[in-house]
Amino acid sequence: MQIRKTDRTRRAIRRALLATTILAINGPALAEEPFDLNALIEAARKEAPIRVYDSTGKIVEMAKAFTEKYGVAAEGAKVKATAQLEMIIREARANNIQGDVSIISDAPAAMAQLIPQGFAESWLPPDLASKIPAEYQDPLTVVTSANVWAYNTELFDKCPVTNIWQLTGPEWKGKVAMQDPLGKASYVDWFNQMAKHGDDRVAAAYKDLYGKELQTDDGSATAAWVKALAANAPLLTDADAAAADAVGAPGQSQPFMGLMSSAKFRDNADKGMKLGLCKDLKPWLGWMYPGVGLITKGTNSPNASKLFIHYVMTAEGIAPQAEDGKISTNKDVSLPADEPSGIGTVLDQVMPYDMSTSLDDWDARETWQDLWRINYQK
């Protein structure tokens, strides 16, 4: 796969626009007054209630806890990333802001559209800045979440696959469950992240499995793997729940491998599922994707919105999501010891998301979707 010259030109223009927008938002570097959390709380209490968008239903619980803690009314709304993007843009253009805060799992959209076009802005809590790695500060990444390969522990003592290239072979034809990349942007972003930052490891995994170098005309080892996976008739779903059911439902005789959020492992206790984490899978057992925290421009409650962002960057605020294996970018916040998936013990086996190429992910989406569409077979 080759990125066209026009794509590079568009990226350069977009980066220049983003830099200009950030300068306009933040202004020149000036000495700031010391951050006063108590003053922010008092200012927030004088403002209208806020509404917070997130793609997890846990946001409802988080908003309720925030209201109880600070006496600042907040409502959480579970909204998919694609719908969040549309709603924020539509509300801004109509001058009718309904959502004040967005924790959006589509970092490329945030970087390419929401921030540079002035629909939303990032705010970094000054008193927490030293605890948040630089790569997660601008824009502020609230959490990173894992999508992982899983198997059925009732059928196998350990993961039956040790290499992602096995999933392209006849043994797993029609037996890989995952969300449809044509409807889930983070999947094609993952393809691009692998090609940009880990293609050598994808090629090395091929050699480890087959004992020979990968020969391909597809432009990258990642493209060759994506093409082969699509052609192996995976079971495509519209949600992680369906993929989790295909893999982990008890009483099965025909095994499936599946790709899903680490959050689905809570169903082992809640629903009697049999999901197991595929540890030691080459080259990675899954990948991370970011949840970017944004405040919509034009909100009537800027202080309450900032207070909510501050809250979710604390252990107390992010606790409901940490229970699902979502990892705060605040280095002082850790996962619970009893988090169901066990992702916290194998983070070195998970491919991280590199925000520096999020605009490349945005520009390459159509190319990766076309590759999948052309090669997918049922």
Side-chain angles (χ1 to χ4, degrees), residues 231-311:
N232 211 33
L235 173 65
L236 301 184
T237 69
D238 60 359
D240 280 343
D245 286 344
V247 175
Q252 294 191 58
S253 58
Q254 296 296 321
F256 270 82
M257 282 286 293
L259 193 57
M260 67 201 68
S261 168
S262 62
K264 300 313 296 179
F265 283 70
R266 65 174 179 260
D267 291 344
N268 284 348
D270 295 345
K271 300 180 181 180
M273 299 286 271
K274 307 296 181 180
L275 295 171
L277 188 65
C278 273
K279 299 178 182 179
D280 302 317
L281 186 65
K282 293 183 179 180
W284 306 279
L285 63 82
W287 85 97
M288 306 297 292
Y289 61 96
V292 177
L294 298 175
I295 297 173
T296 55
K297 295 292 289 292
T299 173
N300 290 322
S301 304
N303 292 297
S305 298
K306 287 181 178 180
L307 184 60
F308 191 87
I309 290 291
H310 187 282
Y311 176 68

Side-chain angles (χ1 to χ4, degrees), residues 11 17 23 31 75 128 131 156 173 202-203 208 215 223 226 235 259 269 275 315 333 350 368 371:
R11 287 199 295 271
L17 178 59
L23 180 61
E75 176 191 10
L128 300 177
K131 305 175 187 297
F156 301 100
K173 185 176 180 66
V202 178
D208 285 342
Q215 302 295 324
V226 170
L235 173 65
L259 193 57
L275 295 171
V333 179
V350 183
W368 287 107
L371 180 70

Side-chain angles (χ1 to χ4, degrees), residues 347-368:
L347 287 177
D348 60 330
Q349 299 180 31
V350 183
M351 184 181 181
Y353 184 89
D354 191 328
M355 288 289 290
S356 71
T357 54
S358 59
L359 290 177
D360 295 289
D361 297 342
W362 176 265
D363 287 329
R365 281 180 176 180
E366 185 176 346
T367 303
W368 287 107

Side-chain angles (χ1 to χ4, degrees), residues 331-351:
K331 292 182 290 185
D332 288 352
V333 179
S334 58
L335 292 176
D338 59 351
E339 185 276 317
S341 75
I343 191 67
T345 64
V346 289
L347 287 177
D348 60 330
Q349 299 180 31
V350 183
M351 184 181 181

